[in-house]
Structures are given as C-alpha cells and as structure tokens.
Amino acid sequence: MDCIFCKICNGDIPSYTLYEDDKIKVFLDINPISNGHTLIIPKNHSVDLDDTSLDTINYTLAKAKDIKKLLEKKLNPIGIRLVQNNGTLEEVKHFHLHLIPFYNDNNKMNVEDVYKILNN
C-alpha cells in the first residue's frame, strides 16, 4: 500500500511520536498549523469516517482526551480544535484526527523543539 500514514505507523517513515500502542499512533504534524498540531492515526487503514469502525472512532476519541490534556499542560493553548476531514478535504486518504492548539500569540517553533517540550 502506498499510504504515507500506513508507512509512518509501520515505522518506515520517522515521526515525532507522542504515543503508540497496537491500535493507534499519535505524532506531531510536520507541517503544523500551530505549535503542537498533532495527528491521531489508527494503524488499521481505513479511508474516512464512513469506512472506519465505531470501535476505532471511539478509541481514537478516547485517546484524543489524553493528548488534549498533554497539550494543555505543556503548551498552554487558549483552546484546541479537533478536526476530522472527509472527501476532497482529506489530504491523506487514511482516517485521522487532528488536534490543533490555538494561542493568543502563536510564535511558531520548529516541530523538534515542540516535541522536546511535550516529552519533557
């Protein structure tokens, strides 16, 4: 399969991984909208919301609660948006959830520096 997210989940492409288990991988977006822009990717490939099992969606959202708390604690955003795109809005055709922190003043940092803060 030529899916970039499957390759990241399989370890074929490196990522700034914040969490991983047998069902999902959580990592920083390499082209972030803001500091701490995070993706939650189920390891089992499915294209979009319609193609994804309810168990996988529930598990992904449950982990999103934990990751939201981590982002809030370490990065102090004023809010966090959860985004899940479908159809032509979905850049990578593999179900995934974005957690996008927002700040009063978004002084963009590089992803590696954000990763260090989140893993400290």
Side-chain angles (χ1 to χ4, degrees):
M1 180 173 290
D2 198 34
C3 172
I4 191 166
F5 285 167
C6 287
K7 290 177 182 178
I8 291 170
C9 286
N10 291 332
D12 299 330
I13 296 174
S15 65
Y16 291 101
T17 301
L18 301 176
Y19 176 81
E20 181 174 13
D21 62 26
D22 60 328
K23 295 179 182 179
I24 61 170
K25 187 165 187 139
V26 180
F27 56 92
L28 294 175
D29 192 309
I30 59 168
N31 295 306
I33 291 172
S34 64
N35 296 329
H37 181 171
T38 303
L39 302 174
I40 302 179
I41 313 293
K43 290 185 174 180
N44 186 21
H45 182 87
S46 59
V47 175
D48 59 18
L49 190 63
D50 292 333
D51 190 40
T52 305
S53 74
L54 190 53
D55 286 344
T56 298
I57 292 166
N58 288 336
Y59 191 81
T60 300
L61 284 172
K63 186 46 64 179
K65 288 181 73 167
D66 296 337
I67 299 302
K68 177 185 172 287
K69 290 175 188 170
L70 171 70
L71 295 172
E72 289 171 338
K73 179 180 177 184
K74 299 284 187 159
L75 299 176
N76 301 308
I78 61 171
I80 297 178
R81 179 181 295 163
L82 275 66
V83 177
Q84 195 282 309
N85 295 307
N86 293 271
T88 59
L89 298 174
E90 190 178 23
E91 191 173 324
V92 177
K93 303 300 185 201
H94 183 130
F95 176 84
H96 58 286
L97 181 66
H98 296 258
L99 279 76
I100 306 170
F102 284 84
Y103 307 89
N104 282 326
D105 187 13
N106 189 21
N107 295 321
K108 277 262 186 122
M109 301 176 357
N110 70 47
V111 176
E112 187 172 340
D113 289 341
V114 173
Y115 180 73
K116 288 176 185 174
I117 291 169
L118 292 171
N119 281 303
N120 194 353

